[in-house]
mmCIF file of all heavy atoms in Angstrom:
data_model
loop_
_atom_site.group_PDB
_atom_site.id
_atom_site.type_symbol
_atom_site.label_atom_id
_atom_site.label_comp_id
_atom_site.label_asym_id
_atom_site.label_seq_id
_atom_site.Cartn_x
_atom_site.Cartn_y
_atom_site.Cartn_z
ATOM 1 N N GLU C 1 -3.857 -2.943 -1.028
ATOM 2 C CA GLU C 1 -3.759 -4.002 0.026
ATOM 3 C C GLU C 1 -3.706 -5.378 -0.631
ATOM 4 O O GLU C 1 -2.958 -6.251 -0.236
ATOM 5 C CB GLU C 1 -4.919 -3.874 0.986
ATOM 6 C CG GLU C 1 -4.822 -2.679 1.915
ATOM 7 C CD GLU C 1 -6.021 -2.486 2.817
ATOM 8 O OE1 GLU C 1 -7.169 -2.925 2.379
ATOM 9 O OE2 GLU C 1 -5.889 -1.971 3.926
ATOM 10 N N LYS C 2 -4.587 -5.570 -1.629
ATOM 11 C CA LYS C 2 -4.619 -6.883 -2.301
ATOM 12 C C LYS C 2 -3.338 -7.174 -3.060
ATOM 13 O O LYS C 2 -2.767 -8.269 -3.009
ATOM 14 C CB LYS C 2 -5.798 -6.918 -3.267
ATOM 15 C CG LYS C 2 -5.993 -8.231 -3.961
ATOM 16 C CD LYS C 2 -7.270 -8.252 -4.803
ATOM 17 C CE LYS C 2 -7.448 -9.614 -5.479
ATOM 18 N NZ LYS C 2 -8.704 -9.635 -6.303
ATOM 19 N N LEU C 3 -2.840 -6.166 -3.767
ATOM 20 C CA LEU C 3 -1.589 -6.354 -4.568
ATOM 21 C C LEU C 3 -0.379 -6.537 -3.678
ATOM 22 O O LEU C 3 0.565 -7.201 -4.048
ATOM 23 C CB LEU C 3 -1.414 -5.203 -5.527
ATOM 24 C CG LEU C 3 -2.404 -5.107 -6.697
ATOM 25 C CD1 LEU C 3 -2.115 -3.892 -7.546
ATOM 26 C CD2 LEU C 3 -2.359 -6.378 -7.552
ATOM 27 N N ALA C 4 -0.418 -5.950 -2.466
ATOM 28 C CA ALA C 4 0.704 -6.131 -1.561
ATOM 29 C C ALA C 4 0.876 -7.580 -1.147
ATOM 30 O O ALA C 4 2.003 -8.023 -0.861
ATOM 31 C CB ALA C 4 0.516 -5.241 -0.319
ATOM 32 N N VAL C 5 -0.234 -8.286 -1.128
ATOM 33 C CA VAL C 5 -0.193 -9.710 -0.794
ATOM 34 C C VAL C 5 0.220 -10.530 -2.034
ATOM 35 O O VAL C 5 1.009 -11.468 -1.927
ATOM 36 C CB VAL C 5 -1.550 -10.196 -0.305
ATOM 37 C CG1 VAL C 5 -1.545 -11.687 -0.071
ATOM 38 C CG2 VAL C 5 -1.918 -9.456 0.970
ATOM 39 N N ALA C 6 -0.273 -10.141 -3.202
ATOM 40 C CA ALA C 6 -0.044 -10.909 -4.418
ATOM 41 C C ALA C 6 1.331 -10.662 -5.010
ATOM 42 O O ALA C 6 1.841 -11.550 -5.737
ATOM 43 C CB ALA C 6 -1.102 -10.568 -5.472
ATOM 44 N N LEU C 7 1.974 -9.526 -4.727
ATOM 45 C CA LEU C 7 3.252 -9.177 -5.345
ATOM 46 C C LEU C 7 4.286 -8.882 -4.262
ATOM 47 O O LEU C 7 4.512 -7.741 -3.898
ATOM 48 C CB LEU C 7 3.057 -7.916 -6.225
ATOM 49 C CG LEU C 7 2.037 -8.008 -7.361
ATOM 50 C CD1 LEU C 7 1.828 -6.652 -8.025
ATOM 51 C CD2 LEU C 7 2.504 -9.046 -8.380
ATOM 52 N N PRO C 8 4.937 -9.928 -3.769
ATOM 53 C CA PRO C 8 5.901 -9.749 -2.687
ATOM 54 C C PRO C 8 7.016 -8.761 -3.017
ATOM 55 O O PRO C 8 7.509 -8.071 -2.148
ATOM 56 C CB PRO C 8 6.463 -11.174 -2.507
ATOM 57 C CG PRO C 8 5.376 -12.072 -3.027
ATOM 58 C CD PRO C 8 4.782 -11.338 -4.126
ATOM 59 N N ALA C 9 7.401 -8.686 -4.319
ATOM 60 C CA ALA C 9 8.514 -7.825 -4.686
ATOM 61 C C ALA C 9 8.246 -6.341 -4.436
ATOM 62 O O ALA C 9 9.140 -5.536 -4.237
ATOM 63 C CB ALA C 9 8.895 -8.030 -6.152
ATOM 64 N N THR C 10 6.970 -5.978 -4.494
ATOM 65 C CA THR C 10 6.587 -4.579 -4.311
ATOM 66 C C THR C 10 5.736 -4.394 -3.082
ATOM 67 O O THR C 10 5.061 -3.385 -2.921
ATOM 68 C CB THR C 10 5.815 -4.025 -5.554
ATOM 69 O OG1 THR C 10 4.736 -4.898 -5.870
ATOM 70 C CG2 THR C 10 6.794 -3.951 -6.753
ATOM 71 N N ALA C 11 5.704 -5.382 -2.207
ATOM 72 C CA ALA C 11 4.830 -5.367 -1.021
ATOM 73 C C ALA C 11 5.112 -4.174 -0.120
ATOM 74 O O ALA C 11 4.189 -3.484 0.308
ATOM 75 C CB ALA C 11 4.940 -6.652 -0.231
ATOM 76 N N GLU C 12 6.385 -3.889 0.166
ATOM 77 C CA GLU C 12 6.699 -2.776 1.049
ATOM 78 C C GLU C 12 6.281 -1.433 0.485
ATOM 79 O O GLU C 12 5.715 -0.575 1.163
ATOM 80 C CB GLU C 12 8.202 -2.765 1.372
ATOM 81 C CG GLU C 12 8.633 -3.923 2.257
ATOM 82 C CD GLU C 12 7.864 -3.994 3.543
ATOM 83 O OE1 GLU C 12 7.741 -2.958 4.220
ATOM 84 O OE2 GLU C 12 7.382 -5.114 3.892
ATOM 85 N N LEU C 13 6.508 -1.258 -0.828
ATOM 86 C CA LEU C 13 6.094 -0.016 -1.481
ATOM 87 C C LEU C 13 4.580 0.167 -1.404
ATOM 88 O O LEU C 13 4.099 1.250 -1.096
ATOM 89 C CB LEU C 13 6.563 -0.069 -2.951
ATOM 90 C CG LEU C 13 6.227 1.075 -3.878
ATOM 91 C CD1 LEU C 13 7.292 1.202 -4.963
ATOM 92 C CD2 LEU C 13 4.852 0.871 -4.535
ATOM 93 N N LEU C 14 3.855 -0.930 -1.644
ATOM 94 C CA LEU C 14 2.415 -0.852 -1.651
ATOM 95 C C LEU C 14 1.848 -0.663 -0.251
ATOM 96 O O LEU C 14 0.835 0.067 -0.038
ATOM 97 C CB LEU C 14 1.806 -2.100 -2.274
ATOM 98 C CG LEU C 14 2.027 -2.231 -3.800
ATOM 99 C CD1 LEU C 14 1.708 -3.625 -4.267
ATOM 100 C CD2 LEU C 14 1.194 -1.192 -4.566
ATOM 101 N N LYS C 15 2.449 -1.266 0.744
ATOM 102 C CA LYS C 15 2.012 -1.038 2.126
ATOM 103 C C LYS C 15 2.227 0.419 2.556
ATOM 104 O O LYS C 15 1.356 0.988 3.235
ATOM 105 C CB LYS C 15 2.791 -1.972 3.072
ATOM 106 C CG LYS C 15 2.382 -3.448 2.938
ATOM 107 C CD LYS C 15 3.269 -4.326 3.837
ATOM 108 C CE LYS C 15 2.910 -5.783 3.671
ATOM 109 N NZ LYS C 15 3.801 -6.668 4.486
ATOM 110 N N PHE C 16 3.300 1.021 2.112
ATOM 111 C CA PHE C 16 3.528 2.423 2.385
ATOM 112 C C PHE C 16 2.478 3.263 1.670
ATOM 113 O O PHE C 16 1.895 4.205 2.262
ATOM 114 C CB PHE C 16 4.937 2.836 1.981
ATOM 115 C CG PHE C 16 5.230 4.286 2.128
ATOM 116 C CD1 PHE C 16 5.113 4.923 3.373
ATOM 117 C CD2 PHE C 16 5.597 5.060 1.028
ATOM 118 C CE1 PHE C 16 5.393 6.275 3.522
ATOM 119 C CE2 PHE C 16 5.872 6.438 1.177
ATOM 120 C CZ PHE C 16 5.733 7.014 2.415
ATOM 121 N N TYR C 17 2.217 2.913 0.424
ATOM 122 C CA TYR C 17 1.169 3.664 -0.307
ATOM 123 C C TYR C 17 -0.177 3.569 0.373
ATOM 124 O O TYR C 17 -0.920 4.565 0.418
ATOM 125 C CB TYR C 17 1.047 3.162 -1.751
ATOM 126 C CG TYR C 17 -0.100 3.808 -2.465
ATOM 127 C CD1 TYR C 17 -0.029 5.177 -2.850
ATOM 128 C CD2 TYR C 17 -1.276 3.135 -2.716
ATOM 129 C CE1 TYR C 17 -1.088 5.772 -3.474
ATOM 130 C CE2 TYR C 17 -2.359 3.754 -3.333
ATOM 131 C CZ TYR C 17 -2.249 5.082 -3.679
ATOM 132 O OH TYR C 17 -3.342 5.705 -4.326
ATOM 133 N N VAL C 18 -0.517 2.422 0.932
ATOM 134 C CA VAL C 18 -1.784 2.254 1.662
ATOM 135 C C VAL C 18 -1.876 3.293 2.788
ATOM 136 O O VAL C 18 -2.915 3.938 2.974
ATOM 137 C CB VAL C 18 -1.923 0.834 2.207
ATOM 138 C CG1 VAL C 18 -3.063 0.738 3.218
ATOM 139 C CG2 VAL C 18 -2.224 -0.118 1.080
ATOM 140 N N GLU C 19 -0.823 3.433 3.562
ATOM 141 C CA GLU C 19 -0.803 4.410 4.653
ATOM 142 C C GLU C 19 -0.979 5.820 4.122
ATOM 143 O O GLU C 19 -1.734 6.642 4.697
ATOM 144 C CB GLU C 19 0.506 4.287 5.430
ATOM 145 C CG GLU C 19 0.705 2.974 6.144
ATOM 146 C CD GLU C 19 -0.320 2.695 7.232
ATOM 147 O OE1 GLU C 19 -0.838 3.681 7.821
ATOM 148 O OE2 GLU C 19 -0.624 1.519 7.466
ATOM 149 N N ILE C 20 -0.325 6.124 3.028
ATOM 150 C CA ILE C 20 -0.427 7.471 2.440
ATOM 151 C C ILE C 20 -1.831 7.697 1.881
ATOM 152 O O ILE C 20 -2.407 8.767 2.069
ATOM 153 C CB ILE C 20 0.624 7.632 1.335
ATOM 154 C CG1 ILE C 20 2.026 7.654 1.931
ATOM 155 C CG2 ILE C 20 0.391 8.956 0.534
ATOM 156 C CD1 ILE C 20 2.270 8.734 2.936
ATOM 157 N N ALA C 21 -2.368 6.694 1.217
ATOM 158 C CA ALA C 21 -3.721 6.857 0.611
ATOM 159 C C ALA C 21 -4.759 7.009 1.728
ATOM 160 O O ALA C 21 -5.756 7.777 1.526
ATOM 161 C CB ALA C 21 -4.024 5.653 -0.273
ATOM 162 N N ARG C 22 -4.620 6.309 2.812
ATOM 163 C CA ARG C 22 -5.559 6.504 3.944
ATOM 164 C C ARG C 22 -5.484 7.944 4.449
ATOM 165 O O ARG C 22 -6.518 8.555 4.784
ATOM 166 C CB ARG C 22 -5.232 5.512 5.060
ATOM 167 C CG ARG C 22 -5.633 4.063 4.747
ATOM 168 C CD ARG C 22 -5.168 3.161 5.824
ATOM 169 N NE ARG C 22 -5.610 1.769 5.609
ATOM 170 C CZ ARG C 22 -5.052 0.701 6.132
ATOM 171 N NH1 ARG C 22 -4.032 0.819 6.982
ATOM 172 N NH2 ARG C 22 -5.570 -0.527 5.871
ATOM 173 N N PHE C 23 -4.254 8.444 4.559
ATOM 174 C CA PHE C 23 -4.116 9.852 4.974
ATOM 175 C C PHE C 23 -4.774 10.788 3.944
ATOM 176 O O PHE C 23 -5.481 11.736 4.316
ATOM 177 C CB PHE C 23 -2.604 10.147 5.102
ATOM 178 C CG PHE C 23 -2.297 11.621 5.387
ATOM 179 C CD1 PHE C 23 -2.288 12.058 6.685
ATOM 180 C CD2 PHE C 23 -2.031 12.486 4.363
ATOM 181 C CE1 PHE C 23 -1.998 13.396 6.955
ATOM 182 C CE2 PHE C 23 -1.774 13.821 4.595
ATOM 183 C CZ PHE C 23 -1.766 14.260 5.911
ATOM 184 N N GLN C 24 -4.539 10.525 2.650
ATOM 185 C CA GLN C 24 -5.097 11.387 1.623
ATOM 186 C C GLN C 24 -6.619 11.340 1.628
ATOM 187 O O GLN C 24 -7.261 12.353 1.382
ATOM 188 C CB GLN C 24 -4.563 10.948 0.264
ATOM 189 C CG GLN C 24 -3.102 11.272 0.045
ATOM 190 C CD GLN C 24 -2.614 10.840 -1.342
ATOM 191 O OE1 GLN C 24 -2.696 9.672 -1.690
ATOM 192 N NE2 GLN C 24 -2.115 11.781 -2.118
ATOM 193 N N LYS C 25 -7.206 10.193 1.929
ATOM 194 C CA LYS C 25 -8.633 10.088 2.021
ATOM 195 C C LYS C 25 -9.168 11.035 3.114
ATOM 196 O O LYS C 25 -10.229 11.653 2.940
ATOM 197 C CB LYS C 25 -9.077 8.660 2.299
ATOM 198 C CG LYS C 25 -10.605 8.505 2.359
ATOM 199 C CD LYS C 25 -11.005 7.120 2.783
ATOM 200 C CE LYS C 25 -12.500 7.060 3.027
ATOM 201 N NZ LYS C 25 -12.978 5.765 3.530
#
């Protein structure tokens, strides 16, 4: 979540990963 804000170029990828990681948790 923090890097999605700091790195706009990879923000969409990281936001998707956040959703997946929440599911994995």
Side-chain angles (χ1 to χ4, degrees):
E1 289 176 330
K2 182 175 182 179
L3 290 178
V5 175
L7 301 172
T10 54
E12 290 305 311
L13 178 151
L14 290 167
K15 289 176 182 177
F16 175 58
Y17 174 72
V18 166
E19 296 295 331
I20 294 300
R22 286 174 176 159
F23 174 87
Q24 290 180 301
K25 180 187 174 184

